[in-house]
Amino acid sequence: MENTDKPQYRKIIHIDMDAFYAAVEQRDFPEYRGKPLVVGGPADGRGVVATASYEARKFGVKSAMTSKRAFQLCPHAIFVYPRFNAYKEVSQQIRAIFRRYTDLIEPLSLDEAYLDVTTDKLGIGSALSIAEEIKRAIREELHLTASAGVSINKFAAKIASDMNKPDGLTFIGPSKLEKFMEQLPVEKFFGVGKVTSEKMKRQGLYTGGDLKKLSEHRLVQLFGKTGKFFYKIVRGIDDRPVHANQEIKSISAEDTFSYDLERGEELDEWLVQIAKSAFKRASHYQAFGRTITLKVKFEDFKQLTRSTSFPQPISTIENVLSCAQSLLKQVDFDGKKVRLIGVGFSNFPEQYLKKENYPIQPTLFPRDEI
Ligand code: DCP
Ligand code: MG
């Protein structure tokens, strides 16, 4: 007879590929193996690191730092541009592996996904065994490594997958979950950026355990809506389902210029190029939004956005261009030069876009990607 007293936990796996872009490069180009490798923009001071091999990370090279900084830290590293098509292909292959076990897959990017294997297709039953099998398939069939986290909710699975990278497999079982959350530093909680973590520390809140001492009311007072999330998560509760076919909210293109630009012809020309890139991407997915947003980042890194909306989707390049141009006219430059501009579509009509069909980090290297 079934024991109805036993709580029915979900079985959630979070998979994240190790040093993804760099690992694909090292797989495809044996001469890069075992060497510090940086995948990103040019090392001319304006480019950005997408990722670095573990050999390069030893020197402190990290995602999102300037390539110039990476070069200072590790001058003997090999620098290569990303090959998005290769990464997209691997991404489809890992998803095909996931689908052997479940259709409840929520990709977060090309290299990362949640899987709900509460009832898996093959009747394996153990989430840990499934995670092991997936890791093995990725290794044997794709010659790459992934790290997996296994737990009863998305939050814990994601934290777990990061704990023993690379090639890690970490399980946080239900009996350990609350204790685990208590010792977790506040920075690890979803939604806690630098500003919030500073704020928390000023309040003497360093760990999940510290947050747990506060009432839900107090947490909401301090942190708004996210306070509700904190209240639950420190108790090991995260009911967010694994959403297959998740909608994406915007499509955009942006570019950091090789030198900062004043208002004028050159900037206008760039705006046209970037608006065209955004349009091309939207065309690719046959998804035109009713809102166009212009993003401007100034030389002092301050950033602003201006949007305009229409009752119908903006689906011709002429309309996109004229919207973007009139939005740029409305921007007060305050005497500053511009470092980056971006143009994006949002507010899509009913037809939705699946995240899994959308390339990761679409804004990093728009010119290479399209
Ligand atoms: N990426 C990027 N820009 C960033 C972060 C990531 O272009 N700021 C790209 C390159 C990464 C890929 O996304 O290879 C996956 O991101 P991860 O954060 O998972 O990083 P990695 O897979 O490279 O390394 P890790 O082993 O830490 O997961
Ligand atoms: Mg990764």
Side-chain angles (χ1 to χ4, degrees), residues 129-354:
S129 303
I130 295 170
E132 261 166 8
E133 282 195 22
I134 288 174
K135 275 166 55 74
R136 188 183 320 126
I138 290 175
R139 188 170 55 244
E140 286 174 5
E141 297 169 32
L142 307 179
H143 309 288
L144 293 166
T145 64
S147 294
V150 178
S151 193
I152 59 168
N153 64 44
K154 283 164 101 172
F155 183 81
K158 186 164 162 86
I159 298 273
S161 74
D162 204 39
M163 282 170 60
N164 290 301
K165 261 184 171 293
D167 203 15
L169 174 59
T170 310
F171 172 63
I172 305 177
S175 59
K176 306 222 175 71
L177 191 55
E178 247 192 288
K179 278 268 166 304
F180 180 83
M181 291 300 161
E182 282 176 16
Q183 56 75 44
L184 206 62
V186 289
E187 292 82 5
K188 295 273 184 187
F189 287 97
F190 170 82
V192 180
K194 258 209 174 106
V195 177
T196 313
S197 77
E198 291 303 310
K199 184 172 171 184
M200 286 184 168
K201 284 173 185 166
R202 278 200 301 277
Q203 306 271 342
L205 304 168
Y206 294 90
T207 63
D210 295 332
L211 290 172
K212 204 173 179 177
K213 288 180 198 140
L214 304 183
S215 68
E216 184 173 5
H217 179 73
R218 180 70 185 138
L219 284 167
V220 171
Q221 243 179 4
L222 285 170
F223 307 111
K225 252 198 196 155
T226 334
K228 276 193 192 253
F229 173 79
F230 294 147
Y231 183 81
K232 285 183 137 181
I233 204 68
V234 294
R235 287 164 178 78
I237 302 165
D238 172 13
D239 301 325
R240 290 172 302 156
V242 171
H243 290 289
N245 305 328
Q246 235 199 347
E247 236 175 272
I248 69 141
K249 302 265 183 309
S250 70
I251 289 187
S252 63
E254 65 177 45
D255 214 343
T256 305
F257 309 124
S258 47
Y259 48 90
D260 299 330
L261 294 174
E262 289 174 350
R263 193 192 279 280
E265 223 172 83
E266 201 179 348
L267 187 64
D268 292 343
E269 274 167 27
W270 270 112
L271 181 71
V272 170
Q273 291 313 315
I274 292 165
K276 279 186 177 165
S277 292
F279 180 77
K280 203 164 167 183
R281 248 176 228 173
S283 313
H284 182 70
Y285 296 103
Q286 276 304 300
F288 298 99
R290 302 185 192 94
T291 300
I292 291 270
T293 301
L294 172 76
K295 171 168 146 188
V296 180
K297 197 188 258 184
F298 292 102
E299 56 189 325
D300 58 2
F301 283 79
K302 294 231 165 72
Q303 159 178 325
L304 56 76
T305 57
R306 294 284 176 270
S307 300
T308 179
S309 296
F310 297 87
Q312 295 300 323
I314 306 144
S315 60
T316 66
I317 183 66
E318 292 76 23
N319 289 345
V320 174
L321 283 176
S322 68
C323 281
Q325 283 158 344
S326 76
L327 288 169
L328 186 63
K329 283 208 187 89
Q330 294 164 28
V331 173
D332 178 4
F333 280 44
D334 202 14
K336 291 184 286 194
K337 288 185 185 165
V338 174
R339 181 182 157 81
L340 165 153
I341 46 180
V343 173
F345 289 88
S346 56
N347 188 7
F348 298 107
E350 314 68 49
Q351 102 222 55
Y352 65 71
L353 285 165
K354 289 182 185 174

Side-chain angles (χ1 to χ4, degrees), residues 16-23 39 48-52 54 57 63-65 84 87 109-112 147 162 165-166 360-361 364-365:
D16 188 301
M17 301 295 287
D18 301 320
F20 184 48
Y21 294 4
V39 184
V48 184
V49 174
T51 196
Y54 277 79
R57 291 184 196 193
S63 291
M65 71 170 39
F84 290 104
Y87 315 144
S109 68
L110 287 189
D111 96 315
E112 198 186 337
S147 294
D162 204 39
K165 261 184 171 293
I360 190 194
Q361 315 289 349
L364 259 181
F365 299 99

